[in-house]
Amino acid sequence: MTIDPAAPAMRLASTGTILHGVSVGEVLGVSTLADARLIAGKRGLDRIVQRLNVMEVPDILAWVKPHELLLTTGYPLRNTPQSLDRLVADLDERGLAALAIKLGRYLDELPEEMVEQADRLGFPLILLPNDVGFDDILNQVLTDILNRQAGLLARAEEAHRALVQIVLAGGGMREVTAEVAGLLDVAVAALDAGGQILASAGDAGQVAALRETCLTVGAPPEQPSPGTRVPSSSIAPVMASDGHHAVVPVVAGGHHHGRIVAFSASGALTPSDIGILERAATVAALVVTKQEAVTAVESKYRADFLRDVLTGRGGTRVAERARAFGWDLERPVSVLVAEIDPDAEERPAQDRMLTAWQSAVRRYDPRGAVAGFSHEVVAVVGAGIDTIRLARDALAAVSDCTFSTGLSRVAGGADLLPGAYGQALKAARVGRQLHGGGAVAHFDELGVYRLLSLVNDTDELHAFVRETLGSLAGDDDVENADLRRTLQVLLETNLNVAETARRLHFHYNTLRYRIGKLERMLGNFTEDAHLRLNLTLALHVLRMRGI
C-alpha cells in the first residue's frame, strides 16, 4: 500500500463525544427568529448550539458553557458599552456558539469595534426583533435541539441493533461493512492491524476512490508490541480536513485490531455518521475477538495433533487428519524446531515467533505443517524446501527476541517423524551451545557433536569429563580454566607450540612450562594419541554442557 501525496491531510475529529444540537444557521431558520438579523460573524454559522442561556447579570462569564446561544437585552452592559468588544472575545474563548441581543431598551447600537471583533473571530452576532420574547425563543430552539437529539439517538440505536444482529447471526467483517455502507450511503472498508483490507462495501466507484485515496489514511501507525495497551489518545476517530474521509480504530481490551475506513463522495460525514462508525468499530471488535477465540481453539487442536504425531502417538489415520488441516505428511519431509533462547522466554515472544513461522511456512510450502508448543515452534515442510533460508527468514521477522533453530534429516513418511523431531530438537540445542542464540544448525552438520548428542545418559557423559580432565573440568579455579583453554588451543593446532603461543599471546617458554604442567595433571598427551582423543572428546562434551 503506497502513500498518495494527494490524500487529504488528517486531523482529530473528536474525542469520541458526538455533538448533538443544531447549527446557528438552523437556529436562525426557526419561526420565532424569522425577523432576526445576522450582523457579524457569518463564518460561524455552522457552530453547534446545544443549550441556551440568558445574560442579565454582570458576571455572566462565570456561568456560560460551550455551545451555548446567549440571549441578552444588554442590561448588564448599559453603563459600559466600551467593553462589548472584549465580551465577544471572552465568549468566543469559552466556546459559545453565538450572542443574540435586543437593542433599543438599554443599548441603542453595538460599537463598531464589537462588530469587527466578531467578524474577525467568526463569532455570530444576532440582532433579535423586539416583539419576540426570550421564552418563545427558548421553547422553540430547545424543542428543535431535543428533537434533533432524539432523532440522532434513534438512528444510532437502529444502527446498533442491526450491527449487533449481524454478530448474533454469525456474520463477519463483510456483513458489517455492507450494513454500514447501506446505512450511511458511503464506501466502507475494514482493515486489519497490518493495514490489509479484510472487507469493503458500497458503490463501486466510491470503493475504488476509497482504495486509491483513503487507504493511506487507514494505514496504522507503528504498532506496539502484542500485549501492550493502546493509549487513549490513539483511540479517537480521525477525519480528513475535507470531512469526506473518516477512520475509526477497532480496539478490544485496549489492544489495536485494525480500522474502519469510510469515504463519502456525496457530502461531508457528520458527527452522527462518525457515531455510527464508532458503533461499527465496536461490533467489528466483537467479530475480531470471536474469530481470535475460534483461531485459538483451532490452533490448540492443530498443535495437539502435531505433538501426538511427533511423539509417535498420532494413531492410524495421521495422513487423513493432516489433510483436513491442509498438511501433506505423506511425502518426504524435514522437521524444523525453533526454541526461544533463554533470555527471551516470555509469552508475547512465543506468539510473535509462531506468527513469523506461520508466515514463512505459508510462503515456502503451503502444504507444510506448523504449530506452537510451550517454548518452541515446530514446522514440517517438504524435502525440497530450502530449510536454512526459511529458518533465517522467520528469525529476521522477529526483531525483539531470538530463537535457535534445528533442522532434521529428510523423513520418508509420518512414521519417521518422531525420529526427525528428535534430530531437529538436538540440532537446535547443540547449535545454541556452540554458536549462541539465534543459531541455525542442521543435524548432519554437527559432526562429533551429533554423536555425543545421541548419548542419552548425560550423567555418564559428565563422569567421562571428570575422569578425563580431572580438576580442569570445573570452573571454580580461574587458573584451571585458563589451563583448559591452553589445552584446547594446543589440540586445535595439532600440538603446534609456535601457533598456540601466537594465538594465546604467550612467550614460547611460558607455553612450554604450561605444557609440562598439563602433562603432570593429565598424562603424556603429547605422545599418546588415544589420550589426546579422549581429551578432545571431553572438551567437546564440556562445551555442550546442558545438552
Side-chain angles (χ1 to χ4, degrees):
M1 181 170 56
T2 58
I3 298 179
D4 183 356
M10 305 304 296
R11 62 178 175 83
L12 288 180
S14 73
T15 58
T17 301
I18 301 172
L19 299 179
H20 296 297
V22 296
S23 67
V24 174
E26 291 172 315
V27 168
L28 291 174
V30 302
S31 59
T32 54
L33 295 177
D35 296 328
R37 183 163 57 92
L38 180 71
I39 57 177
K42 185 177 181 180
R43 288 187 295 109
L45 288 178
D46 60 347
R47 294 191 181 206
I48 298 298
V49 177
Q50 288 185 304
R51 56 182 68 86
L52 286 84
N53 198 353
V54 177
M55 180 182 73
E56 297 298 6
V57 293
D59 60 343
I60 188 63
L61 290 177
W63 306 100
V64 297
K65 297 178 180 179
H67 307 294
E68 276 188 346
L69 170 59
L70 192 58
L71 309 176
T72 184
T73 60
Y75 175 77
L77 307 170
R78 64 192 186 282
N79 297 322
T80 56
Q82 67 276 7
S83 65
L84 287 176
D85 59 331
R86 182 60 205 167
L87 174 66
V88 167
D90 290 338
L91 295 178
D92 178 71
E93 184 179 345
R94 285 164 174 75
L96 265 72
L99 175 65
I101 189 168
K102 284 187 178 183
L103 296 178
R105 186 168 184 181
Y106 300 108
L107 289 174
D108 293 329
E109 60 181 4
L110 297 180
E112 185 176 343
E113 294 82 357
M114 179 182 184
V115 176
E116 292 176 353
Q117 177 79 306
D119 271 330
R120 279 196 302 271
L121 297 173
F123 183 81
L125 283 181
I126 302 170
L127 184 61
L128 296 174
N130 289 324
D131 58 346
V132 177
F134 284 172
D135 57 341
D136 293 331
I137 299 173
L138 290 168
N139 286 335
Q140 190 166 13
V141 175
L142 286 175
T143 298
D144 283 357
I145 291 174
L146 291 175
N147 288 339
R148 177 69 59 85
Q149 289 179 346
L152 292 174
L153 291 173
R155 182 185 185 221
E157 183 63 25
E158 177 186 356
H160 182 73
R161 282 198 303 268
L163 291 168
V164 169
Q165 186 59 39
I166 288 174
V167 178
L168 296 177
M173 289 295 189
R174 183 170 57 183
E175 289 77 14
V176 170
T177 54
E179 184 68 27
V180 175
L183 287 170
L184 303 182
D185 190 23
V186 297
V188 180
L191 283 67
D192 64 14
Q196 300 300 311
I197 300 174
L198 300 175
S200 61
D203 176 78
Q206 291 196 68
V207 170
L210 176 66
R211 288 174 176 270
E212 292 176 4
T213 65
C214 198
L215 286 183
T216 53
V217 172
E222 183 178 350
Q223 294 299 305
S225 300
T228 304
R229 295 184 68 84
V230 177
S232 58
S233 60
S234 67
I235 299 178
V238 178
M239 286 187 67
S241 56
D242 62 2
H244 292 275
H245 308 78
V247 180
V248 178
V250 176
V251 178
H255 306 306
H256 186 281
H257 292 284
R259 297 178 182 238
I260 299 291
V261 186
F263 167 65
S264 171
S266 57
L269 291 163
T270 66
S272 173
D273 297 334
I274 299 300
I276 291 177
L277 288 173
E278 288 178 317
R279 290 175 183 255
T282 301
V283 172
L286 292 176
V287 172
V288 170
T289 304
K290 181 182 72 172
Q291 186 58 47
E292 285 184 344
V294 172
T295 301
V297 172
E298 292 178 348
S299 179
K300 184 179 184 306
Y301 186 63
R302 289 168 180 256
D304 289 345
F305 169 65
L306 188 57
R307 188 194 301 274
D308 288 343
V309 172
L310 296 175
T311 54
R313 302 193 305 269
T316 58
R317 300 171 55 202
V318 170
E320 180 181 345
R321 293 176 62 189
R323 281 197 299 271
F325 292 129
W327 300 343
D328 183 0
L329 302 184
E330 296 179 283
R331 55 184 173 156
V333 294
S334 297
V335 177
L336 299 85
V337 173
E339 275 197 327
I340 298 178
D341 292 326
D343 58 349
E345 289 188 4
E346 52 171 311
R347 189 68 209 175
Q350 169 76 3
D351 293 338
R352 291 191 292 276
M353 187 173 79
L354 176 58
T355 300
W357 273 93
Q358 287 172 334
S359 177
V361 170
R362 277 196 301 269
R363 289 197 307 272
Y364 283 85
D365 184 6
R367 295 185 298 161
V370 60
F373 301 158
S374 58
H375 294 291
E376 66 189 35
V377 171
V378 179
V380 182
V381 298
I385 302 300
D386 186 345
T387 51
I388 297 288
R389 186 175 177 184
L390 187 158
R392 296 198 184 283
D393 283 358
L395 178 62
V398 183
S399 60
D400 55 350
C401 74
T402 61
F403 50 85
S404 298
T405 307
L407 317 176
S408 77
R409 295 169 172 166
V410 174
D415 293 342
L416 300 178
L417 285 177
Y421 171 63
Q423 294 169 7
L425 193 58
K426 286 185 173 74
R429 294 177 179 177
V430 173
R432 179 190 294 115
Q433 292 295 323
L434 299 181
H435 308 296
V440 177
H442 194 288
F443 185 72
D444 281 342
E445 297 173 353
L446 298 180
V448 68
Y449 296 103
R450 182 176 81 229
L451 298 178
L452 293 174
S453 71
L454 294 175
V455 180
N456 294 323
D457 191 345
T458 56
D459 290 338
E460 187 63 31
L461 286 175
H462 293 161
F464 171 73
V465 170
R466 290 191 299 271
E467 292 168 4
T468 306
L469 294 178
S471 60
L472 296 187
D475 292 328
D476 297 336
D477 190 306
V478 176
E479 183 181 359
N480 285 340
D482 194 31
L483 284 171
R484 189 173 69 234
R485 169 64 178 159
T486 301
L487 174 64
Q488 181 176 328
V489 177
L490 272 169
L491 295 173
E492 288 175 354
T493 61
N494 197 24
L495 301 183
N496 186 323
V497 178
E499 176 63 17
T500 301
R502 187 188 66 80
R503 288 192 189 183
L504 296 177
H505 306 288
F506 287 159
H507 189 275
Y508 183 85
N509 291 334
T510 301
L511 183 57
R512 295 302 309 180
Y513 168 78
R514 284 181 167 240
I515 292 174
K517 188 172 184 178
L518 284 169
E519 288 198 314
R520 288 192 295 272
M521 297 174 67
L522 304 172
N524 189 16
F525 65 87
T526 58
E527 301 292 337
D528 189 340
H530 291 292
L531 178 55
R532 289 200 299 274
L533 176 60
N534 288 341
L535 291 172
T536 301
L537 287 174
L539 289 172
H540 283 329
V541 174
L542 199 60
R543 192 177 181 188
M544 290 172 56
R545 184 177 298 168
I547 300 301

